[in-house]
Amino acid sequence: MAKAAGVSAMTVSNVINGHPNVRRTTREKVLEAMARLDYRVNVAARNLRKGRTGTIGLAVPEVNSPYYSRLAAGVIAAAARRGLRVGIEQTGATRESELDALSLSRNRLYDGLLLSAVGLGQTDAERLAPDQPVVVLGDRITGGPVDHVGMPNLEASRAAVTHLVERGCRRIALVCGAVDEVDTSSLRLAGYRQALTDAGLPHDPELVREVSRFTLAEGARCARDMVTSGLDPDGVFCVTDTLATGVLRGLADTGVPVPGRVKVIGFDNIAESAYLVPSLSSVDPDHDAMAEHAVALLAARIDQDEPPPRYEEFVSGFTLVIRESTGGP
């Protein structure tokens, strides 16, 4: 190709890789020769020379969850903009499977790994080797030795519950997972409690309803239990939209009108939320920004020969999307 264009091999490489310090006329000459000879970059050969696969891994608890499928779509788009492909691992939210995903990446099946940690906890942080490009998503592991991308769980939950208070709710239930240590449920519980304190409302432990899994069925069961037990909430904050969708179903099954008698808000702003009846108010944590930032961090670590002097903690912003389930805008 260099011979055909009458330039050096280094100049051809600079043109292919978009190097800015190439004269316009030289760049046009190389591009014209590439078009004339139908030249295509052999990505596999280039990656082999660099010791790369051109693929990053994304390990998530489940692929059929609306939240994780949306996350995966954002990651795939962000990776494609950088010439990377994405291999997806389903871990089932178990510690062992998440460790397996780390091992696959360490064995060079991937150039780096985005790990949505659910089974692993802070005590497993030492398992994340600093010489392996890894970015952790979620709230179970923070503070290194790898980059971390998370949501504004406490602040966003506080805003969601404050919205219910502003809509006149005084007995606000929380539907969450088991609260054992720092995780999504515990952080969103803390935000829920702060909002109650801000409003001068009591903390009634009976209004905190734990479920075993973040599923539609569990949300519906929880809502039916609240009604039949006489708990009588006038507002419900769910830590995911999936749970909130189930709660809407359970309230409908027991004849409780939403938002007339109970107002409901979720978290994640999945696409389906806008099309429920009633449409679901939700926290939008800016999924695209999280995916873009996570892939950018991972790509930067892959390109570095040495571990960075420090690791980054990125927390996304959020907006409240107000729909019919809390009375509309």
Side-chain angles (χ1 to χ4, degrees):
M1 183 56 57
K3 183 178 179 180
V7 298
S8 69
M10 179 60 72
T11 298
V12 174
S13 176
N14 287 339
V15 171
I16 291 172
N17 290 295
H19 198 285
N21 297 326
V22 179
R23 288 199 303 268
R24 181 179 60 81
T25 54
T26 301
R27 187 183 304 277
E28 290 175 352
K29 185 189 301 184
V30 172
L31 293 175
E32 187 277 330
M34 290 173 63
R36 185 174 72 251
L37 298 177
D38 194 27
Y39 175 78
R40 298 288 186 273
V41 177
N42 189 326
V43 177
R46 184 169 65 180
N47 287 337
L48 182 62
R49 179 168 54 83
K50 293 181 178 180
R52 305 264 179 86
T53 66
T55 300
I56 61 173
L58 172 64
V60 296
E62 53 185 347
V63 296
N64 63 345
S65 155
Y67 167 72
Y68 288 114
S69 63
R70 179 171 179 180
L71 173 67
V75 166
I76 291 169
R81 288 192 287 272
R82 293 166 174 82
L84 297 169
R85 300 184 70 84
V86 181
I88 299 178
E89 300 285 331
Q90 180 169 273
T91 64
T94 69
R95 180 175 181 272
E96 293 74 19
S97 293
E98 290 173 6
L99 290 173
D100 285 345
L102 285 168
S103 295
L104 285 172
S105 181
R106 190 173 288 117
N107 290 334
R108 298 293 183 260
L109 292 183
Y110 305 126
D111 295 331
L113 179 69
L114 301 176
L115 174 63
S116 181
V118 177
L120 294 172
Q122 194 64 45
T123 57
D124 295 302
E126 62 188 31
R127 299 268 193 158
L128 306 174
D131 60 344
Q132 176 191 14
V134 175
V135 175
V136 172
L137 310 174
D139 312 292
R140 297 275 293 174
I141 303 176
T142 60
V146 295
D147 297 307
H148 170 245
V149 173
M151 293 185 186
N153 289 295
L154 193 150
E155 298 85 354
S157 299
R158 185 177 185 178
V161 177
T162 297
H163 168 67
L164 292 175
V165 172
E166 291 171 346
R167 291 296 165 102
C169 300
R170 293 298 177 266
R171 284 185 53 77
I172 302 171
L174 170 70
V175 181
C176 62
V179 180
D180 297 318
E181 52 184 296
V182 176
D183 62 4
T184 297
S185 286
S186 66
L187 292 170
R188 294 178 189 177
L189 170 63
Y192 162 84
R193 287 174 171 165
Q194 284 191 10
L196 295 182
T197 298
D198 294 343
L201 297 174
H203 294 197
D204 183 352
E206 289 296 315
L207 288 168
V208 177
R209 315 297 288 190
E210 295 184 4
V211 297
S212 58
R213 298 182 63 197
F214 293 171
T215 64
L216 296 167
E218 280 291 277
R221 179 196 59 77
C222 185
R224 289 192 293 267
D225 287 350
M226 284 191 288
V227 174
T228 57
S229 67
L231 190 63
D232 197 29
D234 56 8
V236 181
F237 169 50
C238 302
V239 299
T240 71
D241 279 0
T242 299
L243 283 174
T245 301
V247 165
L248 290 178
R249 176 74 260 177
L251 292 174
D253 290 343
T254 50
V256 175
V258 177
R261 182 170 149 195
V262 178
K263 294 175 173 58
V264 179
I265 190 168
F267 199 118
D268 288 333
N269 193 35
I270 61 176
E272 292 82 354
S273 298
Y275 298 95
L276 300 172
V277 180
S279 56
L280 178 65
S281 295
S282 184
V283 173
D284 187 336
D286 200 346
H287 304 273
D288 291 338
M290 285 190 292
E292 176 66 27
H293 209 86
V295 173
L297 283 171
L298 190 63
R301 299 308 180 221
I302 291 169
D303 287 338
Q304 290 173 341
D305 294 327
E306 299 292 334
R310 66 180 182 84
Y311 293 93
E312 183 170 340
E313 293 278 338
F314 173 79
V315 178
S316 69
F318 74 92
T319 55
L320 291 184
V321 181
I322 308 307
R323 300 190 179 101
E324 294 166 349
S325 67
T326 57

